[in-house]
Structures are given as structure tokens and as C-alpha cells.
Amino acid sequence: MCSIIGYKGQLNVASVLVDSLKRMEYRGYDSVGIATINNGKILVKKDVGRVADVNKSLDLGRMPGHTGIGHTRWATHGGVTDKNAHPHYGCTDRIAIVHNGIIENYRELREELIFLGHIFISDTDSEVIAHLLERYYAEQKNIKKTIIQTCRRLKGTYAFVAAFEDGTICGSRYDEPLIIGSVNNGYFISSDVLGFLEYTDKAVFLENRDIVIVDSETCHIFDLEGNIVNRPITKVAWELAAIDKGKYAHHTLKEIHEQPKIVEKTGTQNLKIQEFCNILTNSKTVLLTGSGTSYHSALIAKHILSKFAKIRAEAIMSSEFQYTFDAIDNTSVLIAISQSGETADVLQSVKAAKQMGARILSIVNNPTSSLARISDSSLSIDCGPEIGVAATKSFTAQLSLIYTIVDRLCKGCLDFEANKASLVDALRQVLDTEIQIHSIAEGLRDARDIYIIGRSIHYAIALEGALKIKELAYIHTEGIAAGELKHGPLALIDRNSYVLLVNPNDIASEDNISSAYEIKARGATIIGISDRPNNVYDIFIKIPSVKSTFYPIIEVLPFQILAYYLALAKNADPDYPRNLAKSVTVK
Ligand code: G6P
């Protein structure tokens, strides 16, 4: 989703902004723009495309000045065009803005401003912010009053930063992150700590409706009444080095290979895990929520919570949560799972549950994210920044933490700690199948439809495997509960179908083999993922045997590797797939 960066200081702003936008590329975007203020003039350059390409064609990095704002846009309102790219001016070039979020009342604001004589250039909702600022600034020439009046008019979600021709930058947020980074002789204002982490680890997280103004020397934060507010400085601990691709061709491949190490180090937050468990055991209703991959973790959590900790739980997709759940009160607990901790659907579910009295537990990868900060207790999966847009290592890290929590709840019945070494070894062995899976991917590159079949807990992995292939390789792939085949999907299977069967040796295994024969009878190619070979498989991907409860942690890897190589086979960029964003901060 959109990334925002603003900087005022002593460095040459343009190259700082270009580098910051590059570091936030992983969030997903379609166009790029920068505005710099120099000698009382604001200059804007913007275009469709990747940061490096637009930088090359427009020479962004050489724009003059020490103050400026930058943006990568993920189109919501208005097509992917240079005119819709940010920054946006008002009617003149005296104010420019960059925005993330959706201004819900932009139509009425636009009409009102057009009536007053403002001329709009773009089709975006964002442009109204520039015109509102322009309107109120013309009336009183006071930036603080101007931004307060502007924010009072906005409905919806926003994080924006504005640049004024006098060299001031200012911004505000509502339900979209905006963070200040403080450096010697200057300040950053960004949507993501990665925007400034190369320069400082001192961050100030703005609260909803906070207003920040950085003028000649100072940075002040105000509330909507104009009172100064103090927000604490947080030291952010992410290591920039982890953003490097190392010896790998893509971040996604590097992150897939990091998984054994990540599982190895799970469970170090002992006291916090205990706090989590105490809240869980004292609640009557346990709900789980998440989006995409994190929802699949929620499905696995539901399964093992009930089976081993004897806690009945319900897993609901965050985008469906608001339509589904009313039976929540102060005896309920909601476990929200989100790698980024910024997914709008997840945050909305959490706010709704919180209002109804539920306690909120969260599992995040970013301990300073919005989700972590609104939770009663939050655990970090601690797997380092995940740059590949499709989640890989964060999924296994989530599972690993979930198994640790459930093990604590059932007083060690899973023996997770004792099994960890063999699990880590098993993950390494699965990574050794990479060459085989690479050649399988070459064979599947022209597949029109792929089906992934699994039973019981493995159904969640079938869903996750299908999501990976959809996300990275743009092939229609469906995860199907094996027992449901006979209730409809079997009609789709013919000799052109490819079916992957998640079938490790456990109680569901024999039933899966029966399903495989039904599929084979219809001529499909069957790829078995199992620790035991079987004649029904046309292709066999061997995974090692582990304690049966832990198979989900290892059996997802072949799908990640397959999705990665399918993307390469189809000339798609596995790190930045089309139409996907890492941090989906709009509903
Ligand atoms: C987006 C990504 C998915 C991801 C989902 C949840 O849709 O494209 O890959 O699984 O968000 O992200 P979260 O940060 O909440 O785990």
C-alpha cells in the first residue's frame, strides 16, 4: 500500500527520499513521486513505475533542497497514471501533499471546493486535502490552524504529510500509521519505520488525530484542539542488514531459507507467553482472526487449541468479522494474528471486539505496530522484516509461536521444545527438495488449474499453498478439503488437472489415498507430499517424518518453493507480485 516519507534537515532531501521509498517498496505500489522545497518554491516530479525507473527517467534524486515529501502510490481512487500519482498540489504550487488511506467524504468536499473556484487535476480522493489546506491557509496564514481545520473536515482514514512553500512540513493521521523519526538537526515523518531506520532508531508513534508540525528548528505534536501533546520516544530494534538479499536472487527465496533458524529461536518471550496463556484460560469465548496467510495460521491455532488445550475457539476472517460476530462480551478474548500489525480488516475487527468488551491478544511481527499497541497483550514472532510480499517465514514463525503457546496451555503435552531440533532438521531436509520442486514447477508452468487437497489440520495448509500459488504465479489454484471432493469439486477434475495432495502419515492418510484414487480415475496428475511414497502418486515430494502434530510447520515449505519457481517460470517477480500489497491498510 502507499508509503509516505517527509524529511526536513540538513541532508540533500531528494536522495534521502528516494532511498527511503526504495526501502518501503515491499509494501507494494504502482507509481512514485517527490516534492522538494527550495528557495520558497515547491517542485513536484512523479510518474508511474518503480522507484529506480522513475528516478532514472526524472532524475528525482537530484531535485534541490533540504526539505521535501515523497510517496509511492497504490491506486484506490483513479487509475494508475502520472496525474493521479502523489504529491498533489492545490491550485497553485505553494502547498503539496502525500496521503495514504481513503477520504470517504471526498466527493462532497470536492464539490464544495469546486464551487469555491478550486480546480482539480487528478481523480484521487487525496487531492481534496491539498485544496482544503490551501483554502484555510489563504484565510489565516497560520499552518497550525489550517491543518486543524482541514483534519476536522476529513472523514475516513488518513495519514498525510504536507509541504508548505515556507519550508514547513506537517502531517496528521487517523487509522493509518504515521511515525516521526528524530535525527541530529532534522526530522522524518513516515508511514513505516523502515522509511528512516537507516538514519535513526528513535521513533515517535503518533496517536489518531495527532498533528505534527516540523518548522525551521522544532517538531511539535498537537491534538485537534491545538494543545501540545507529548508522545514517548520508542527505540526501534529492527536490523536493516536483514533487508539485504544476501546470496539469494530474491527476498522471497531468502526468507523461505530462513525458516529453520526462525523455528529454532521461537519461544524466548517466556513471561509474555505466560501472560497470554493466563488471559486465555480466564476467558469463556476464544475467537481468532487474521487475513490471508495469517488467517490460515488462525485455522491451525483453532485446531490445536481445541485438540490439545481443550479450548474451543472460532476462527473468522477479518474481512468477515464485522458481519459475523455479535456474541462478544467482557468474558471473550480475541487473538488477532497479523505479520504487519497494520492490516485494516484486522484492526477493524479488533476495534469492534474491544468495544464489545473483549480482551485483545495479538501475534505480530512488528511489536510497535498499531495492532500491538491496541492489544492487552502482544507477542512478537520475531522473524525480522519480511520483504517478499507473499508471507512465507512469517507463517512458520506464527505457527511456531502458536505451538509454543498451546504447549504451555496443555502443560507440555506437545513436547514442542524437545521436538524442536528434529523439526529444524526436517525443515532443512525439505529445503533440500528445492531442485526437484524447481523442475516440477517447469512442468506446471502452463497449468490452467491446480487443486490442493488436504484433510483435518492439513486443509489449512492446502488453503495456504493455494494462496501462495495464486499470489506469486497468478495460476488459478484451489485448496479443497479432501472429504468435500465428492460433494462437488470432483466434477472439475479431468486429465488436464494437477492435484497436489498434502498427505503425511497420520490419521487422515488412508482416507486421503482413497480420495487420490478417485482423482486418478479421472485422469488427473497427482503430486503427493508425504513422508511415505504411494503408487497413486505420479510425482512424489518426500518430506521427513516428524511427530504428527507438527506436520503443518514443515509441509507448507514445498508449496512456498513451488510458488516461487512457478513465478520465475512465468516471468513474474516473486518479491513484488502484481495487485498485491504487503500492508493492506485499506478496507
Ligand atoms: C495481504 C498480503 C497477504 C497477507 C495478508 C495479511 O493481503 O498480500 O500475503 O497474508 O495481507 O497480512 P498481515 O500483515 O495482516 O499478516
PDB file of all heavy atoms in Angstrom, residues 177-204:
ATOM      1  N   PRO A 177      -0.916   4.477   9.890  1.00  0.00           N
ATOM      2  CA  PRO A 177       0.249   4.837  10.700  1.00  0.00           C
ATOM      3  C   PRO A 177       1.013   6.068  10.196  1.00  0.00           C
ATOM      4  O   PRO A 177       1.084   6.297   8.988  1.00  0.00           O
ATOM      5  CB  PRO A 177       1.133   3.594  10.613  1.00  0.00           C
ATOM      6  CG  PRO A 177       0.620   2.790   9.494  1.00  0.00           C
ATOM      7  CD  PRO A 177      -0.777   3.217   9.178  1.00  0.00           C
ATOM      8  N   LEU A 178       1.528   6.831  11.132  1.00  0.00           N
ATOM      9  CA  LEU A 178       2.427   7.939  10.811  1.00  0.00           C
ATOM     10  C   LEU A 178       3.415   8.051  11.973  1.00  0.00           C
ATOM     11  O   LEU A 178       3.009   8.135  13.138  1.00  0.00           O
ATOM     12  CB  LEU A 178       1.642   9.241  10.623  1.00  0.00           C
ATOM     13  CG  LEU A 178       2.375  10.323   9.827  1.00  0.00           C
ATOM     14  CD1 LEU A 178       2.701   9.858   8.407  1.00  0.00           C
ATOM     15  CD2 LEU A 178       1.525  11.599   9.737  1.00  0.00           C
ATOM     16  N   ILE A 179       4.683   8.024  11.637  1.00  0.00           N
ATOM     17  CA  ILE A 179       5.714   7.899  12.664  1.00  0.00           C
ATOM     18  C   ILE A 179       6.776   8.969  12.431  1.00  0.00           C
ATOM     19  O   ILE A 179       7.186   9.202  11.285  1.00  0.00           O
ATOM     20  CB  ILE A 179       6.366   6.490  12.578  1.00  0.00           C
ATOM     21  CG1 ILE A 179       5.272   5.405  12.600  1.00  0.00           C
ATOM     22  CG2 ILE A 179       7.351   6.258  13.707  1.00  0.00           C
ATOM     23  CD1 ILE A 179       5.646   4.160  11.859  1.00  0.00           C
ATOM     24  N   ILE A 180       7.221   9.584  13.524  1.00  0.00           N
ATOM     25  CA  ILE A 180       8.279  10.594  13.405  1.00  0.00           C
ATOM     26  C   ILE A 180       9.614   9.930  13.731  1.00  0.00           C
ATOM     27  O   ILE A 180       9.711   9.170  14.704  1.00  0.00           O
ATOM     28  CB  ILE A 180       8.043  11.748  14.402  1.00  0.00           C
ATOM     29  CG1 ILE A 180       6.678  12.391  14.141  1.00  0.00           C
ATOM     30  CG2 ILE A 180       9.148  12.790  14.305  1.00  0.00           C
ATOM     31  CD1 ILE A 180       6.258  13.338  15.246  1.00  0.00           C
ATOM     32  N   GLY A 181      10.613  10.216  12.935  1.00  0.00           N
ATOM     33  CA  GLY A 181      11.965   9.748  13.243  1.00  0.00           C
ATOM     34  C   GLY A 181      12.821  10.970  13.533  1.00  0.00           C
ATOM     35  O   GLY A 181      12.830  11.920  12.749  1.00  0.00           O
ATOM     36  N   SER A 182      13.506  10.936  14.672  1.00  0.00           N
ATOM     37  CA  SER A 182      14.252  12.138  15.036  1.00  0.00           C
ATOM     38  C   SER A 182      15.741  11.905  14.817  1.00  0.00           C
ATOM     39  O   SER A 182      16.322  10.926  15.286  1.00  0.00           O
ATOM     40  CB  SER A 182      13.901  12.439  16.498  1.00  0.00           C
ATOM     41  OG  SER A 182      14.962  12.926  17.180  1.00  0.00           O
ATOM     42  N   VAL A 183      16.372  12.804  14.038  1.00  0.00           N
ATOM     43  CA  VAL A 183      17.813  12.700  13.757  1.00  0.00           C
ATOM     44  C   VAL A 183      18.491  13.990  14.209  1.00  0.00           C
ATOM     45  O   VAL A 183      17.819  14.953  14.553  1.00  0.00           O
ATOM     46  CB  VAL A 183      18.083  12.500  12.239  1.00  0.00           C
ATOM     47  CG1 VAL A 183      17.794  11.104  11.810  1.00  0.00           C
ATOM     48  CG2 VAL A 183      17.305  13.477  11.381  1.00  0.00           C
ATOM     49  N   ASN A 184      19.813  13.991  14.218  1.00  0.00           N
ATOM     50  CA  ASN A 184      20.524  15.238  14.541  1.00  0.00           C
ATOM     51  C   ASN A 184      20.126  16.292  13.534  1.00  0.00           C
ATOM     52  O   ASN A 184      20.223  16.060  12.336  1.00  0.00           O
ATOM     53  CB  ASN A 184      22.036  15.021  14.416  1.00  0.00           C
ATOM     54  CG  ASN A 184      22.558  14.339  15.651  1.00  0.00           C
ATOM     55  OD1 ASN A 184      21.867  14.310  16.680  1.00  0.00           O
ATOM     56  ND2 ASN A 184      23.753  13.777  15.540  1.00  0.00           N
ATOM     57  N   ASN A 185      19.667  17.412  14.005  1.00  0.00           N
ATOM     58  CA  ASN A 185      19.308  18.536  13.125  1.00  0.00           C
ATOM     59  C   ASN A 185      18.248  18.188  12.087  1.00  0.00           C
ATOM     60  O   ASN A 185      18.311  18.648  10.954  1.00  0.00           O
ATOM     61  CB  ASN A 185      20.518  19.071  12.361  1.00  0.00           C
ATOM     62  CG  ASN A 185      21.632  19.431  13.293  1.00  0.00           C
ATOM     63  OD1 ASN A 185      21.370  20.040  14.331  1.00  0.00           O
ATOM     64  ND2 ASN A 185      22.846  19.034  12.960  1.00  0.00           N
ATOM     65  N   GLY A 186      17.298  17.359  12.445  1.00  0.00           N
ATOM     66  CA  GLY A 186      16.231  17.116  11.474  1.00  0.00           C
ATOM     67  C   GLY A 186      15.213  16.082  11.925  1.00  0.00           C
ATOM     68  O   GLY A 186      15.366  15.458  12.988  1.00  0.00           O
ATOM     69  N   TYR A 187      14.185  15.944  11.097  1.00  0.00           N
ATOM     70  CA  TYR A 187      13.102  15.006  11.408  1.00  0.00           C
ATOM     71  C   TYR A 187      12.605  14.326  10.141  1.00  0.00           C
ATOM     72  O   TYR A 187      12.605  14.917   9.065  1.00  0.00           O
ATOM     73  CB  TYR A 187      11.911  15.749  12.035  1.00  0.00           C
ATOM     74  CG  TYR A 187      12.238  16.308  13.390  1.00  0.00           C
ATOM     75  CD1 TYR A 187      12.677  17.623  13.526  1.00  0.00           C
ATOM     76  CD2 TYR A 187      12.141  15.515  14.532  1.00  0.00           C
ATOM     77  CE1 TYR A 187      13.009  18.146  14.767  1.00  0.00           C
ATOM     78  CE2 TYR A 187      12.477  16.028  15.779  1.00  0.00           C
ATOM     79  CZ  TYR A 187      12.909  17.336  15.883  1.00  0.00           C
ATOM     80  OH  TYR A 187      13.241  17.840  17.108  1.00  0.00           O
ATOM     81  N   PHE A 188      12.166  13.084  10.313  1.00  0.00           N
ATOM     82  CA  PHE A 188      11.435  12.370   9.270  1.00  0.00           C
ATOM     83  C   PHE A 188       9.979  12.234   9.721  1.00  0.00           C
ATOM     84  O   PHE A 188       9.698  12.163  10.929  1.00  0.00           O
ATOM     85  CB  PHE A 188      11.979  10.941   9.122  1.00  0.00           C
ATOM     86  CG  PHE A 188      13.294  10.853   8.409  1.00  0.00           C
ATOM     87  CD1 PHE A 188      14.492  10.912   9.117  1.00  0.00           C
ATOM     88  CD2 PHE A 188      13.339  10.697   7.031  1.00  0.00           C
ATOM     89  CE1 PHE A 188      15.704  10.810   8.473  1.00  0.00           C
ATOM     90  CE2 PHE A 188      14.555  10.599   6.375  1.00  0.00           C
ATOM     91  CZ  PHE A 188      15.746  10.655   7.096  1.00  0.00           C
ATOM     92  N   ILE A 189       9.074  12.151   8.774  1.00  0.00           N
ATOM     93  CA  ILE A 189       7.694  11.748   9.084  1.00  0.00           C
ATOM     94  C   ILE A 189       7.373  10.651   8.067  1.00  0.00           C
ATOM     95  O   ILE A 189       7.443  10.898   6.857  1.00  0.00           O
ATOM     96  CB  ILE A 189       6.676  12.907   8.899  1.00  0.00           C
ATOM     97  CG1 ILE A 189       7.139  14.168   9.628  1.00  0.00           C
ATOM     98  CG2 ILE A 189       5.305  12.482   9.408  1.00  0.00           C
ATOM     99  CD1 ILE A 189       6.213  15.372   9.402  1.00  0.00           C
ATOM    100  N   SER A 190       7.057   9.455   8.548  1.00  0.00           N
ATOM    101  CA  SER A 190       6.941   8.334   7.617  1.00  0.00           C
ATOM    102  C   SER A 190       5.791   7.408   7.996  1.00  0.00           C
ATOM    103  O   SER A 190       5.341   7.376   9.141  1.00  0.00           O
ATOM    104  CB  SER A 190       8.253   7.547   7.612  1.00  0.00           C
ATOM    105  OG  SER A 190       8.176   6.471   6.724  1.00  0.00           O
ATOM    106  N   SER A 191       5.340   6.627   7.018  1.00  0.00           N
ATOM    107  CA  SER A 191       4.291   5.638   7.289  1.00  0.00           C
ATOM    108  C   SER A 191       4.893   4.351   7.838  1.00  0.00           C
ATOM    109  O   SER A 191       4.170   3.448   8.243  1.00  0.00           O
ATOM    110  CB  SER A 191       3.528   5.346   6.002  1.00  0.00           C
ATOM    111  OG  SER A 191       4.439   5.079   4.970  1.00  0.00           O
ATOM    112  N   ASP A 192       6.210   4.245   7.851  1.00  0.00           N
ATOM    113  CA  ASP A 192       6.840   2.972   8.176  1.00  0.00           C
ATOM    114  C   ASP A 192       8.223   3.284   8.766  1.00  0.00           C
ATOM    115  O   ASP A 192       8.953   4.123   8.205  1.00  0.00           O
ATOM    116  CB  ASP A 192       6.997   2.204   6.848  1.00  0.00           C
ATOM    117  CG  ASP A 192       7.411   0.762   7.012  1.00  0.00           C
ATOM    118  OD1 ASP A 192       8.231   0.492   7.904  1.00  0.00           O
ATOM    119  OD2 ASP A 192       6.940  -0.088   6.247  1.00  0.00           O
ATOM    120  N   VAL A 193       8.595   2.628   9.842  1.00  0.00           N
ATOM    121  CA  VAL A 193       9.914   2.921  10.420  1.00  0.00           C
ATOM    122  C   VAL A 193      11.052   2.634   9.437  1.00  0.00           C
ATOM    123  O   VAL A 193      12.114   3.242   9.516  1.00  0.00           O
ATOM    124  CB  VAL A 193      10.178   2.151  11.745  1.00  0.00           C
ATOM    125  CG1 VAL A 193       9.361   2.712  12.878  1.00  0.00           C
ATOM    126  CG2 VAL A 193       9.960   0.683  11.584  1.00  0.00           C
ATOM    127  N   LEU A 194      10.790   1.724   8.490  1.00  0.00           N
ATOM    128  CA  LEU A 194      11.845   1.432   7.510  1.00  0.00           C
ATOM    129  C   LEU A 194      12.178   2.662   6.661  1.00  0.00           C
ATOM    130  O   LEU A 194      13.232   2.731   6.053  1.00  0.00           O
ATOM    131  CB  LEU A 194      11.425   0.280   6.599  1.00  0.00           C
ATOM    132  CG  LEU A 194      11.419  -1.107   7.238  1.00  0.00           C
ATOM    133  CD1 LEU A 194      11.030  -2.157   6.214  1.00  0.00           C
ATOM    134  CD2 LEU A 194      12.773  -1.448   7.824  1.00  0.00           C
ATOM    135  N   GLY A 195      11.256   3.628   6.640  1.00  0.00           N
ATOM    136  CA  GLY A 195      11.491   4.858   5.889  1.00  0.00           C
ATOM    137  C   GLY A 195      12.679   5.647   6.435  1.00  0.00           C
ATOM    138  O   GLY A 195      13.313   6.401   5.708  1.00  0.00           O
ATOM    139  N   PHE A 196      12.978   5.498   7.736  1.00  0.00           N
ATOM    140  CA  PHE A 196      14.081   6.305   8.289  1.00  0.00           C
ATOM    141  C   PHE A 196      15.070   5.509   9.130  1.00  0.00           C
ATOM    142  O   PHE A 196      16.018   6.055   9.684  1.00  0.00           O
ATOM    143  CB  PHE A 196      13.536   7.480   9.117  1.00  0.00           C
ATOM    144  CG  PHE A 196      12.556   7.099  10.203  1.00  0.00           C
ATOM    145  CD1 PHE A 196      12.976   6.453  11.349  1.00  0.00           C
ATOM    146  CD2 PHE A 196      11.216   7.415  10.075  1.00  0.00           C
ATOM    147  CE1 PHE A 196      12.083   6.115  12.347  1.00  0.00           C
ATOM    148  CE2 PHE A 196      10.305   7.072  11.075  1.00  0.00           C
ATOM    149  CZ  PHE A 196      10.740   6.421  12.213  1.00  0.00           C
ATOM    150  N   LEU A 197      14.867   4.185   9.217  1.00  0.00           N
ATOM    151  CA  LEU A 197      15.676   3.383  10.133  1.00  0.00           C
ATOM    152  C   LEU A 197      17.175   3.425   9.819  1.00  0.00           C
ATOM    153  O   LEU A 197      18.008   3.212  10.698  1.00  0.00           O
ATOM    154  CB  LEU A 197      15.163   1.941  10.121  1.00  0.00           C
ATOM    155  CG  LEU A 197      15.481   1.073  11.320  1.00  0.00           C
ATOM    156  CD1 LEU A 197      15.180   1.781  12.624  1.00  0.00           C
ATOM    157  CD2 LEU A 197      14.697  -0.219  11.247  1.00  0.00           C
ATOM    158  N   GLU A 198      17.504   3.762   8.590  1.00  0.00           N
ATOM    159  CA  GLU A 198      18.927   3.858   8.247  1.00  0.00           C
ATOM    160  C   GLU A 198      19.579   5.048   8.961  1.00  0.00           C
ATOM    161  O   GLU A 198      20.781   5.077   9.177  1.00  0.00           O
ATOM    162  CB  GLU A 198      19.075   4.021   6.732  1.00  0.00           C
ATOM    163  CG  GLU A 198      20.476   3.755   6.272  1.00  0.00           C
ATOM    164  CD  GLU A 198      20.619   3.958   4.765  1.00  0.00           C
ATOM    165  OE1 GLU A 198      19.594   3.893   4.055  1.00  0.00           O
ATOM    166  OE2 GLU A 198      21.737   4.183   4.325  1.00  0.00           O
ATOM    167  N   TYR A 199      18.749   6.043   9.324  1.00  0.00           N
ATOM    168  CA  TYR A 199      19.281   7.266   9.935  1.00  0.00           C
ATOM    169  C   TYR A 199      19.070   7.315  11.442  1.00  0.00           C
ATOM    170  O   TYR A 199      19.822   7.969  12.149  1.00  0.00           O
ATOM    171  CB  TYR A 199      18.615   8.501   9.303  1.00  0.00           C
ATOM    172  CG  TYR A 199      18.852   8.578   7.822  1.00  0.00           C
ATOM    173  CD1 TYR A 199      17.956   8.002   6.929  1.00  0.00           C
ATOM    174  CD2 TYR A 199      19.994   9.187   7.318  1.00  0.00           C
ATOM    175  CE1 TYR A 199      18.181   8.042   5.568  1.00  0.00           C
ATOM    176  CE2 TYR A 199      20.231   9.239   5.956  1.00  0.00           C
ATOM    177  CZ  TYR A 199      19.313   8.653   5.087  1.00  0.00           C
ATOM    178  OH  TYR A 199      19.550   8.692   3.738  1.00  0.00           O
ATOM    179  N   THR A 200      18.012   6.696  11.920  1.00  0.00           N
ATOM    180  CA  THR A 200      17.736   6.763  13.359  1.00  0.00           C
ATOM    181  C   THR A 200      16.844   5.617  13.801  1.00  0.00           C
ATOM    182  O   THR A 200      16.014   5.142  13.028  1.00  0.00           O
ATOM    183  CB  THR A 200      17.046   8.107  13.732  1.00  0.00           C
ATOM    184  OG1 THR A 200      16.763   8.092  15.129  1.00  0.00           O
ATOM    185  CG2 THR A 200      15.745   8.333  12.986  1.00  0.00           C
ATOM    186  N   ASP A 201      17.042   5.192  15.055  1.00  0.00           N
ATOM    187  CA  ASP A 201      16.124   4.198  15.617  1.00  0.00           C
ATOM    188  C   ASP A 201      15.210   4.858  16.656  1.00  0.00           C
ATOM    189  O   ASP A 201      14.513   4.193  17.384  1.00  0.00           O
ATOM    190  CB  ASP A 201      16.894   3.004  16.214  1.00  0.00           C
ATOM    191  CG  ASP A 201      17.824   3.423  17.338  1.00  0.00           C
ATOM    192  OD1 ASP A 201      17.919   4.634  17.624  1.00  0.00           O
ATOM    193  OD2 ASP A 201      18.455   2.528  17.936  1.00  0.00           O
ATOM    194  N   LYS A 202      15.233   6.208  16.708  1.00  0.00           N
ATOM    195  CA  LYS A 202      14.368   6.920  17.662  1.00  0.00           C
ATOM    196  C   LYS A 202      13.076   7.309  16.974  1.00  0.00           C
ATOM    197  O   LYS A 202      13.063   8.172  16.087  1.00  0.00           O
ATOM    198  CB  LYS A 202      15.074   8.179  18.176  1.00  0.00           C
ATOM    199  CG  LYS A 202      16.143   7.863  19.193  1.00  0.00           C
ATOM    200  CD  LYS A 202      16.550   9.148  19.888  1.00  0.00           C
ATOM    201  CE  LYS A 202      18.037   9.183  20.107  1.00  0.00           C
ATOM    202  NZ  LYS A 202      18.776  10.074  19.261  1.00  0.00           N
ATOM    203  N   ALA A 203      11.986   6.653  17.379  1.00  0.00           N
ATOM    204  CA  ALA A 203      10.721   6.866  16.684  1.00  0.00           C
ATOM    205  C   ALA A 203       9.649   7.353  17.655  1.00  0.00           C
ATOM    206  O   ALA A 203       9.623   6.946  18.822  1.00  0.00           O
ATOM    207  CB  ALA A 203      10.275   5.560  16.035  1.00  0.00           C
ATOM    208  N   VAL A 204       8.781   8.210  17.150  1.00  0.00           N
ATOM    209  CA  VAL A 204       7.621   8.642  17.935  1.00  0.00           C
ATOM    210  C   VAL A 204       6.381   8.240  17.146  1.00  0.00           C
ATOM    211  O   VAL A 204       6.203   8.683  16.000  1.00  0.00           O
ATOM    212  CB  VAL A 204       7.639  10.174  18.156  1.00  0.00           C
ATOM    213  CG1 VAL A 204       6.372  10.626  18.861  1.00  0.00           C
ATOM    214  CG2 VAL A 204       8.866  10.581  18.944  1.00  0.00           C
TER     215      VAL A 204
END
